[in-house]
Amino acid sequence: MSDKSMPARHEDPALDLLRPYVSATVQALRAQGVELERSWLDPSDPRDATIVCRVQGEHLALVWDEETGWRSGRFVSGRQGERTRLDGEGYLGEEVLPAPETVALGVGAGAFTRPYRKLRDHRDAPEAFDAMVRAAYSN
């Protein structure tokens, strides 16, 4: 039986590179008692990923992308292969790759309140960014 809360392997190696980071974030959310529904890796340019969950009875999604980091809001729609739509979204903050535990604690603390801010462009030094992801979150 598969665990739909964990992102499945993606056929695109550039997207699958992010799976360990998103999986670590799912595990951190689970450790905080967040009710997880499903997660997936999304389209490119920029790459992103979605985790759908329930927090205090509210149907939410956390969306990560390589330009703004994590944001959260009420889940409107989305699935693998299309961009996730949120209502009332807020951003976590200052880092594109915050520690999974920081993301999980932020959900519980209501820390997703910052406005949109592009932290990097996905076309700037993509090899260096990928190397940073590999170094921190390789299997």
Side-chain angles (χ1 to χ4, degrees), residues 5-7 13 27 52 54 67 80-81 83 106 109-110 116 120 136:
S5 68
M6 297 299 273
Q27 291 170 339
V52 180
R54 291 199 179 270
E67 292 187 336
Q80 189 166 6
R83 297 278 181 210
Y116 170 86
R120 68 179 289 273

Side-chain angles (χ1 to χ4, degrees), residues 11-88:
E11 64 186 22
D12 180 344
L15 284 166
D16 200 58
L17 169 70
L18 302 166
R19 189 167 43 89
Y21 175 61
V22 177
S23 295
T25 304
V26 167
Q27 291 170 339
L29 289 163
R30 183 178 287 143
Q32 288 295 316
V34 173
E35 183 183 340
L36 300 160
E37 291 184 10
R38 62 192 184 280
S39 67
W40 61 86
L41 304 171
D42 274 335
S44 296
D45 301 326
R47 295 174 288 186
D48 59 47
T50 299
I51 301 170
V52 180
C53 58
R54 291 199 179 270
V55 176
Q56 298 175 350
E58 192 171 5
H59 197 212
L60 300 177
L62 288 90
V63 178
W64 175 89
D65 75 61
E66 62 185 320
E67 292 187 336
T68 64
W70 287 98
R71 64 187 176 275
S72 181
R74 286 178 300 285
F75 180 73
V76 174
S77 67
R79 62 183 169 86
Q80 189 166 6
E82 71 179 45
R83 297 278 181 210
T84 299
R85 292 184 42 230
L86 302 175
D87 182 46

Side-chain angles (χ1 to χ4, degrees), residues 63-133:
V63 178
W64 175 89
D65 75 61
E66 62 185 320
E67 292 187 336
T68 64
W70 287 98
R71 64 187 176 275
S72 181
R74 286 178 300 285
F75 180 73
V76 174
S77 67
R79 62 183 169 86
Q80 189 166 6
E82 71 179 45
R83 297 278 181 210
T84 299
R85 292 184 42 230
L86 302 175
D87 182 46
E89 70 186 17
Y91 292 77
L92 182 57
E94 302 297 318
E95 295 180 64
V96 173
L97 278 175
E101 296 77 15
T102 300
V103 177
L105 291 170
V107 169
F112 288 80
T113 59
R114 296 195 172 150
Y116 170 86
R117 185 173 131 211
K118 189 173 179 177
L119 301 170
R120 68 179 289 273
D121 190 291
H122 72 277
R123 295 167 292 226
D124 291 344
E127 298 85 10
F129 183 78
D130 287 359
M132 182 175 66
V133 172

